Amino acid sequence: KAGVTQTPRYLIKTRGQQVTLSCSPISGHRSVSWYQQTPGQGLQFLFEYFSETQRNKGNFPGRFSGRQFSNSRSEMNVSTLELGDSALYLCASSDPGQHNYGYTFGSGTRLTVV
Amino acid sequence: ILNVEQSPQSLHVQEGDSTNFTCSFPSSNFYALHWYRWETAKSPEALFVMTLNGDEKKKGRISATLNTKEGYSYLYIKGSQPEDSATYLCASTGGFKTIFGAGTRLFVKA
């Protein structure tokens, strides 16, 4: 069973640009969550998608957006990049239909904004 | 869910020591408590998911307990080994949202 796939692994962008990150969940998992991790911080919740609908959103500005496709793949977009957006972005998939469900994480996308 | 707190922030132990970490979470609207191990340059890996008050889970030398009434969970590692060095994250799920703590960074010296 393939794991959670995130692309690209590394990305360097300049301030003001926009970026799109991709996450393909484990086959059969309908929920995809996105997290941001910066040095010294825990995983900060960005948003969760379930069956193509955003089910929950964290406290991030509107520059951060996402979507989910019918095959459960999800994309995250950050517009007008700022230096502080440099971080590791992790996505995690789960099957909320299972009791005691946990998350399976991808390897992450390391974004550097210069 | 307001906040998930983990303590200590970091811990240095000798090989063979037993250790434990604490995770505190809001007890209202609780659904599940997760523990993950996150090794450097890898993805977080699920250790346990617990939902019921009094739950205890064990995987090899690692075990965890859950108290949903008072809002805390303990993770225990018996006889720490250098390969146990990692960040241990806990996360609380409630209201379709999962909030992670900042983690406990464990260093095990041989």
Side-chain angles (χ1 to χ4, degrees):
Chain A
K1 200 176 194 182
V4 177
T5 303
Q6 287 190 248
T7 57
R9 288 294 306 274
Y10 302 93
L11 209 47
I12 299 176
K13 290 284 189 179
T14 55
R15 276 185 300 174
Q17 285 187 310
Q18 74 162 19
V19 67
T20 299
L21 313 181
S22 178
C23 173
S24 294
I26 286 177
S27 177
H29 283 191
R30 292 171 294 162
S31 171
V32 174
S33 300
W34 288 89
Y35 291 86
Q36 180 198 65
Q37 198 236 358
T38 51
Q41 298 286 323
L43 295 178
Q44 303 295 313
F45 174 70
L46 281 155
F47 25 66
E48 184 207 1
Y49 285 87
F50 177 76
S51 293
E52 302 179 64
T53 300
Q54 187 181 86
R55 190 157 68 170
N56 247 311
K57 191 176 190 304
N59 297 323
F60 278 81
R63 300 184 297 106
F64 291 81
S65 63
R67 59 178 173 169
Q68 187 179 34
F69 302 94
S70 58
N71 62 358
S72 294
R73 188 177 72 86
S74 177
E75 287 182 347
M76 188 190 99
N77 184 274
V78 188
S79 62
T80 319
L81 283 166
E82 300 177 359
L83 295 179
D85 297 332
S86 295
L88 177 68
Y89 291 88
L90 286 168
C91 84
S93 78
S94 66
D95 183 356
Q98 291 181 358
H99 188 56
N100 292 352
Y101 70 89
Y103 292 86
T104 301
F105 284 86
S107 299
T109 294
R110 173 76 62 185
L111 171 66
T112 302
V113 182
V114 297
Chain B
I1 293 178
L2 294 179
N3 211 10
V4 175
E5 306 273 354
Q6 288 189 249
S7 62
Q9 195 171 31
S10 66
L11 196 54
H12 293 253
V13 301
Q14 290 290 130
E15 182 176 358
D17 287 350
S18 292
T19 186
N20 66 85
F21 323 133
T22 304
C23 173
S24 299
F25 55 90
S27 52
S28 60
N29 202 25
F30 170 83
Y31 178 74
L33 191 286
H34 316 228
W35 281 100
Y36 293 83
R37 175 170 57 207
W38 194 0
E39 296 178 70
T40 304
K42 294 186 179 180
S43 311
E45 172 196 355
L47 288 172
F48 307 112
V49 181
M50 299 178 285
T51 59
L52 300 176
N53 185 46
D55 259 353
E56 292 187 26
K57 296 266 177 111
K58 188 175 180 187
K59 191 185 223 180
R61 295 179 290 100
I62 304 176
S63 60
T65 61
L66 178 66
N67 182 321
T68 61
K69 293 182 179 178
E70 295 181 42
Y72 65 84
S73 175
Y74 293 133
L75 185 81
Y76 301 91
I77 301 178
K78 185 178 177 182
S80 301
Q81 300 297 309
E83 58 264 31
D84 295 329
S85 297
T87 296
Y88 291 83
L89 297 172
C90 77
S92 180
T93 296
F96 299 115
K97 187 182 282 190
T98 296
I99 304 297
F100 281 79
T104 291
R105 185 74 174 91
L106 175 66
F107 300 88
V108 183
K109 188 175 180 181

